[in-house]
Amino acid sequence: MVTYEEVRKNHAINTYIQKADESLKALGYTEHSFAHVVNVANTSEYILRTMGYSEHEIEVAKISAYLHDIGNLVNRVDHSQSGAVMAFRLLTNLEMEPEDIADITTAIGNHDEGSGVPVNAVAAALILADKSDVRRSRVRNSDIAAFDIHDRVNYSVEKSKLVISEDRAFITLILSIDTNYGSVMDYFEIFLGRMILCRKAAEKLGLQFKLIINDQPLI
């Protein structure tokens, strides 16, 4: 099998991730480069390992996570679909097994809240890991006065943690928000669709999704 570490070291893949992020930076979006995709890969591993999935499934999920935003190279619109097609071609060229390519393509094509559905465990883990990566360090606009709502929400998040309960019944996104920069309502205005998708993804894994902001349970 083609491994996660092999994918991480692939020059072409890393070039496309970097160039995709450069496009998003030009559009004023938050960071979608290596810090983001590696964080999503690590969180995907945590989710599937905690829920008892195999090492092979974990590896597939981590590769999906590393590649999931590569479609931004083409356009932000429908980037999950274009990214899935790009990943399909890249992984085929690396002679990955068709079964693994299928799972990765499906996960990438379904990770965005616009049209995504957690159709399998890999897709579910990717959705939860991706949508929980909210943090101040992703904001690239240095002028606080010029922040849009996306900047305010991400900048307001001082701490973010995704935790599965010991009995493996709940998965909880715990956020600490500085309301001087963004309100809880701002968060919901931006992320309600994402949180609904997270709930569906959690259910696919046999979990119940919970959201806690500043020690207050909200979902």
Side-chain angles (χ1 to χ4, degrees):
M1 175 189 171
V2 176
T3 67
Y4 171 63
E5 287 304 321
E6 287 175 313
V7 170
R8 281 193 68 179
K9 294 175 182 176
N10 185 280
H11 173 70
I13 288 171
N14 287 335
T15 299
Y16 302 149
I17 291 172
Q18 180 181 341
K19 291 293 184 180
D21 186 55
E22 287 176 9
S23 293
L24 292 182
K25 184 177 182 180
L27 292 168
Y29 279 86
T30 52
E31 180 266 324
H32 284 70
S33 190
F34 300 108
H36 173 58
V37 298
V38 169
N39 187 52
V40 174
N42 291 338
T43 304
S44 296
E45 178 179 12
Y46 161 71
I47 293 168
L48 293 187
R49 190 175 299 283
T50 303
M51 296 304 295
Y53 286 84
S54 69
E55 291 296 330
H56 185 84
E57 288 168 302
I58 291 168
E59 198 78 355
V60 168
K62 290 172 72 176
I63 293 170
S64 301
Y66 197 74
L67 297 174
H68 80 278
D69 272 336
I70 205 167
N72 287 301
L73 182 70
V74 179
N75 197 292
R76 179 62 182 172
V77 177
D78 296 329
H79 75 281
S80 54
Q81 282 76 31
S82 55
V85 174
M86 288 179 65
F88 180 91
R89 177 66 181 272
L90 289 162
L91 297 175
T92 298
N93 289 345
L94 293 176
E95 299 183 352
M96 178 180 272
E97 289 296 318
E99 291 82 0
D100 295 335
I101 293 176
D103 286 341
I104 291 166
T105 301
T106 297
I108 294 172
N110 280 283
H111 85 270
D112 191 64
E113 63 270 16
S115 57
V117 180
V119 292
N120 57 35
V122 172
L126 174 57
I127 287 166
L128 286 161
D130 180 37
K131 305 314 174 192
S132 64
D133 188 22
V134 189
R135 51 188 162 81
R136 177 169 292 184
S137 57
R138 292 189 70 186
V139 178
R140 291 188 281 210
N141 185 353
S142 58
D143 182 4
I144 293 176
F147 277 4
D148 65 9
I149 190 169
H150 292 85
D151 291 332
R152 291 202 307 272
V153 167
N154 279 278
Y155 196 83
S156 71
V157 177
E158 297 176 316
K159 293 181 182 178
S160 172
K161 191 174 184 181
L162 191 69
V163 181
I164 296 174
S165 60
E166 287 188 14
D167 61 0
R168 297 195 292 192
F170 300 96
I171 184 166
T172 306
L173 177 58
I174 305 169
L175 300 177
S176 176
I177 289 180
D178 182 344
T179 54
N180 288 316
Y181 297 105
S183 69
V184 173
M185 281 302 296
D186 283 342
Y187 183 88
F188 271 100
E189 182 178 342
I190 296 280
F191 289 119
L192 182 58
R194 301 182 191 186
M195 295 300 97
I196 292 171
L197 186 57
C198 282
R199 185 191 68 200
K200 294 176 181 177
E203 290 171 354
K204 185 68 179 180
L205 297 170
L207 293 161
Q208 184 175 337
F209 180 72
K210 297 172 70 176
L211 174 65
I212 297 175
I213 299 180
N214 291 353
D215 299 322
Q216 296 297 315
L218 298 174
I219 296 177

